[in-house]
Amino acid sequence: QQPNLLSKFRGSVLGGLVGDCCGEPYEGQVLTDGDKAILRRSLNQLEGPYFKAPAKKYTDDSAMTRSVIRCLIEHKDINTKELATSFVKEHAAEPNRGYGGAVVEVFRKLLKNKFTDIVGPAQEQFLGRGSYGNGAAMRVSPIGLFCYNKPEKLVELVKKSAEITHSHSLGINGAVLQAAAVNICVQKDPKTFFHDEFLSELIPKMQELEKESEVPGIKASGPNFTQQLKEVKTLLDSPNPLSEDEVLNALGHDVTAIYSVPTAIFIFLRAQGPIEGIQSENPFRRTLEYAISLGGDTDTIASMACSLTGALHGDSLIPENLLKHCEAHGEFIELANKLYESSI
Ligand code: F2R
Ligand code: MG
Ligand code: MG
Ligand code: MG
């Protein structure tokens, strides 16, 4: 039976939370085989019979995602002033959630200008180049859900949500990519899901978007998302077993959008089938364990990848006891339900 739409909304929102909470302890690390064995044991324990333990903490990823969901529920739109205010309030209340190194400067300036200029502070980042971090992408999955019936609204809403903190085209387009990927997952039946079909919908969308953000007369240098998605396809179609180095050399795993959003999409797609070394029949568990085991920006990459698997399969694949170990899971269930009721 196809998961229903509410289950897909919950799967994506809760998948994002679980990825963030379980990935957080490993952020910035390279995992050895020993670390991976510890990770597996720890996930098995969290999935197994419930035991009382301190909650696994969420980070900036979920704090900012919650602001986006609340904004969509309240305004049925991205109200940039309200969203900027919510980001700043969240950060002021809990500054130690692991925010990006530079984004806190945006919050400081927004507070100083009393929210009279919402996009100016982001445009001043990095000597006027803007941030190409993955912070706009890590919080954007709910927009992919919200627009399930109106995909033509997606780019506009994502751009409004991104530009509060990220003005670099890679930071913004990375957010569009993550939201568009979620949006496709919501439409798909997991039983007839093929990575080829998924990528052949996603790649032309990114091609069109990246053409629009090109500066006329200047040939863009450096990587773009269209190229990275083609790398994803090449890796998935490879007839040989894939080594971790091959994956990381091609796609990366750092805090920039270009070297993390395509990685999350690759992990999601690869985890739809068996992965060597990961002994689980459950695609959600495979997504989570594989994302963290690749190291680097583990909270963010696991959050984005699990939010895709959740949007495809619904919440029934998320182990109940694992979810119970994540901070604020009850609040996120409520938010997913309300987002479903308010979506367009
Ligand atoms: N920041 C982290 N993790 C590192 C430390 C956390 C640790 N637990 C601790 O607190 O000790 N994680 C979070 O940040 C990422 C999202 O970042 P966001 O919101 O995009 O922030 P920012 O500051 O704009 O960008 C992040 C870094 O990217 C580099 N960068 C971005 N644009 C650049 C540019 N134009 N030129 C040069 N460098 C650029 C900078 O190093 C930024 O600091 C997520 O991982 C989230 O979990
Ligand atoms: Mg984080
Ligand atoms: Mg950010
Ligand atoms: Mg992170």
Side-chain angles (χ1 to χ4, degrees), residues 27 59-61 98-103 126 129-135 138 166 255 297 299-300:
E27 194 185 24
T59 77
D60 57 332
D61 302 54
Y99 283 86
V103 73
F126 297 97
R129 291 191 300 271
S131 171
Y132 49 62
N134 57 18
M138 72 186 184
H166 292 69
V255 297
D297 193 1
D299 61 332
T300 304

Side-chain angles (χ1 to χ4, degrees), residues 81 84 88 105-122 124:
K81 188 172 180 181
V88 169
E105 177 68 6
V106 174
F107 300 151
R108 198 186 58 76
K109 287 184 180 172
L110 284 168
L111 204 54
K112 192 158 175 233
N113 78 25
K114 300 198 170 64
F115 302 93
T116 51
D117 178 9
I118 303 298
V119 295
E124 287 166 17

